[in-house]
Amino acid sequence: MLYFAVKHEARTWPHYGRFLQIDRPRRVEYTWVSEATKGVESIVLVTLEPRGEQTELTLRHSGVPDDELGRQHKDGWTWVLSFLAEYFASPRSAPPSH
């Protein structure tokens, strides 16, 4: 099971799901239920493919209602993926050696 909350527009939006498939390190698939899906399970599939020194991430979210709240998932996922790209592109300190 998974749960996380997103704070957006002065509210907290809870999200729930269950993992359907985990194929480390290439693929994770899980259900996604939120107020925006009207309580109906949608499916999120994330795949990771090596591309030389980089990794290509593909995210597909299917079964989202075709309405205003459902279409807002595109903006949400665009924000999440931009954040991840920026995070992994920035230099970080090496983990401490033991």
Side-chain angles (χ1 to χ4, degrees):
M1 296 295 290
L2 68 96
Y3 166 81
F4 65 95
V6 175
K7 292 186 180 190
H8 178 66
E9 295 179 352
R11 326 191 14 201
T12 300
W13 299 78
H15 298 78
Y16 305 88
R18 59 191 170 83
F19 291 99
L20 300 174
Q21 182 181 38
I22 299 173
D23 179 12
R24 289 179 143 181
R26 303 217 185 281
R27 174 186 176 108
V28 63
E29 184 177 28
Y30 54 93
T31 63
W32 175 281
V33 179
S34 68
E35 181 179 329
T37 66
K38 299 179 174 83
V40 175
E41 282 189 337
S42 56
I43 305 292
V44 176
L45 171 63
V46 178
T47 57
L48 302 163
E49 291 293 329
R51 300 283 186 244
E53 294 293 316
Q54 298 183 343
T55 301
E56 179 180 76
L57 184 149
T58 302
L59 185 142
R60 297 197 193 289
H61 192 167
S62 60
V64 177
D66 186 19
D67 60 15
E68 183 181 347
L69 281 178
R71 287 187 292 275
Q72 286 179 1
H73 282 83
K74 179 179 180 183
D75 294 335
W77 285 123
T78 299
W79 181 86
V80 167
L81 294 174
S82 295
F83 173 84
L84 289 173
E86 185 177 317
Y87 176 81
F88 286 110
S90 66
R92 295 182 305 281
S93 347
S97 58
H98 296 273

